[in-house]
Amino acid sequence: KAGVTQTPRYLIKTRGQQVTLSCSPISGHRSVSWYQQTPGQGLQFLFEYFSETQRNKGNFPGRFSGRQFSNSRSEMNVSTLELGDSALYLCASSIQEFTEAFFGQGTRLTVV
Amino acid sequence: GESVGLHLPTLSVQEGDNSIINCAYSNSASDYFIWYKQESGKGPQFIIDIRSNMDKRQGQRVTVLLNKTVKHLSLQIAATQPGDSAVYFCAETGQGGKLIFGQGTELSVKP
């Protein structure tokens, strides 16, 4: 079956702009989590959605937000982009919490 | 705060040898752990998981060991191959099931 799909794969944005990233989970998976990966901070949890509800949120500013649709697809949005937001943004899906989480290829965001 | 740390940032092994990657975790209440492999330009790939009611779990060429007494996790790769070269992360599940990742260990396999 198809894996986790993230679009787009690459993005270049200017400081101050906003961006929306998309994630389609594995069919049947209702939990979608987002992570930011940078060389300096490693993999850091952003938020997790289950059945359209945000259940958990990491320590990121309010500029980072997300949502999940009824078909379990999820989007995350970053407003007022800063240079430090340049990172690989990863989405993971699982059937439920505390079960195997599978990652997509990520979206590489570069803020210039 | 919550943290999962790896003892060795880099590991170089000869092809055919066994590899051992170690990880320490801080939350004794954690009950689910996962090892991931990440190749350059790709997302983390699930390798194997283990729950806290187990000490050992085996997969294909991989074994995960969990020592709850000292809060230590290890990943053993048997007969390491060049295709095993990657960064390996351990992850601990925190509150609400979020994954807390270690810094990662880069495994380099020499032919």
Side-chain angles (χ1 to χ4, degrees):
Chain A
K1 58 184 175 182
V4 179
T5 304
Q6 291 187 246
T7 56
R9 288 293 311 278
Y10 303 93
L11 267 177
I12 299 176
K13 290 286 188 178
T14 304
R15 273 182 302 175
Q17 287 187 311
Q18 67 130 23
V19 66
T20 299
L21 312 181
S22 180
C23 172
S24 294
I26 292 171
S27 178
H29 286 195
R30 295 165 64 188
S31 173
V32 174
S33 300
W34 289 88
Y35 294 83
Q36 181 196 65
Q37 186 174 28
T38 60
Q41 299 298 319
L43 279 150
Q44 291 190 296
F45 173 78
L46 280 157
F47 26 66
E48 187 256 351
Y49 288 88
F50 185 88
S51 294
E52 303 179 66
T53 301
Q54 185 183 90
R55 297 193 302 186
N56 208 349
K57 191 176 191 304
N59 296 323
F60 280 83
R63 300 185 297 108
F64 292 81
S65 63
R67 60 178 175 169
Q68 186 180 33
F69 301 95
S70 59
N71 61 358
S72 293
R73 190 178 69 86
S74 178
E75 291 181 345
M76 68 162 282
N77 184 78
V78 188
S79 62
T80 320
L81 283 165
E82 300 177 359
L83 295 178
D85 297 333
S86 295
L88 180 66
Y89 289 88
L90 291 158
C91 166
S93 80
S94 59
I95 291 174
Q96 58 187 24
E97 63 185 352
F98 303 110
T99 60
E100 302 170 26
F102 297 92
F103 283 83
Q105 298 275 51
T107 294
R108 172 72 63 185
L109 172 65
T110 302
V111 182
V112 297
Chain B
E2 303 166 318
S3 68
V4 178
L6 293 171
H7 294 315
L8 298 174
T10 60
L11 178 64
S12 183
V13 300
Q14 204 71 37
E15 181 179 359
D17 287 351
N18 296 334
S19 303
I20 300 176
I21 301 171
N22 296 303
C23 175
Y25 63 94
S26 61
N27 187 356
S28 57
S30 293
D31 62 3
Y32 182 57
F33 305 86
I34 307 176
W35 279 99
Y36 286 94
K37 170 187 179 183
Q38 188 174 26
E39 297 173 283
S40 181
K42 297 184 178 180
Q45 177 188 353
F46 176 94
I47 301 174
I48 192 167
D49 60 359
I50 188 167
R51 298 192 183 276
S52 60
N53 61 353
M54 304 173 70
D55 297 322
K56 177 180 180 179
R57 190 161 189 227
Q58 289 184 289
Q60 187 177 11
R61 283 201 306 117
V62 295
T63 301
V64 55
L65 299 177
L66 175 63
N67 185 330
K68 295 179 286 293
T69 302
V70 295
K71 293 185 287 186
H72 184 267
L73 197 66
S74 68
L75 176 70
Q76 301 178 357
I77 305 173
T80 313
Q81 303 167 359
D84 294 327
S85 294
V87 177
Y88 289 81
F89 294 94
C90 65
E92 161 190 21
T93 48
Q95 182 183 7
K98 72 177 182 181
L99 294 173
I100 303 166
F101 285 86
Q103 68 184 56
T105 292
E106 183 171 6
L107 176 65
S108 175
V109 182
K110 296 178 288 187

